[in-house]
Amino acid sequence: MVLFSEPGARWRAVAYGPLLCAVILLVEWLTGSTLHWFALGFCAVAIGGFTVLQVMAGRTHGRVELTDSTLHQGVESLSLADVAAVLPAEDDDAAQASPLGALSGVPRRRRGIGLRLVDGRIVQAWAIDHTGLRTALSSALAGSQG
């Protein structure tokens, strides 16, 4: 059962660039200006193509999913059985800990949550809705211990 989820990126973002190009083309047509079919079509395809790559990367490396037994962060999965405790938000050790997800740092627009593992190491889970993830993690750990 999924307790918390963030996709990392949304597919609707792919439509924004091509839609803007279509609006520009419509404005050109309505104002009687020269229609730049080829240039706007090329830009729509190029922007859409690059955005597809960004969304795929975001959904691979920026996703967060917490189930009743596993925390998935990007390309890394951590069993909740390996988590001893969720650390307080003010914990200085947690702020310096390495993030989960095989990343060099906590991704942009996300905040880290310190986790003490059973082996004594401290790592950072992360999410945009960090308070929601913290609450779900605490509940999941309390449920698995009780």
Side-chain angles (χ1 to χ4, degrees):
M1 175 172 64
V2 176
L3 306 174
F4 180 88
S5 180
E6 287 181 356
R10 302 206 186 274
W11 285 109
R12 68 178 178 228
V14 175
Y16 296 154
L19 280 174
L20 180 60
C21 290
V23 167
I24 293 169
L25 192 61
L26 179 65
V27 168
E28 286 181 345
W29 179 69
L30 290 173
T31 60
S33 300
T34 303
L35 298 179
H36 296 93
W37 291 99
F38 179 76
L40 288 170
F42 179 82
C43 287
V45 170
I47 292 169
F50 284 121
T51 307
V52 163
L53 295 176
Q54 288 180 316
V55 169
M56 287 171 55
R59 291 181 75 82
T60 300
H61 299 286
R63 84 178 176 111
V64 178
E65 185 176 273
L66 175 65
T67 66
D68 49 2
S69 62
T70 308
L71 172 63
H72 302 279
Q73 297 257 227
V75 296
E76 187 175 350
S77 295
L78 177 68
S79 172
L80 290 186
D82 294 335
V83 179
V86 177
L87 300 176
E90 308 80 32
D91 194 299
D92 290 333
D93 291 336
Q96 303 302 320
S98 61
L100 295 171
L103 300 171
S104 60
V106 173
R108 254 185 26 200
R109 298 188 344 247
R110 287 142 175 100
R111 299 241 344 243
I113 300 167
L115 301 177
R116 183 176 311 279
L117 302 182
V118 173
D119 65 8
R121 289 184 305 133
I122 296 175
V123 296
Q124 283 189 68
W126 41 263
I128 293 172
D129 178 13
H130 56 94
T131 55
L133 179 58
R134 179 182 294 280
T135 301
L137 272 167
S138 298
S139 296
L141 288 175
S144 68
Q145 293 170 356

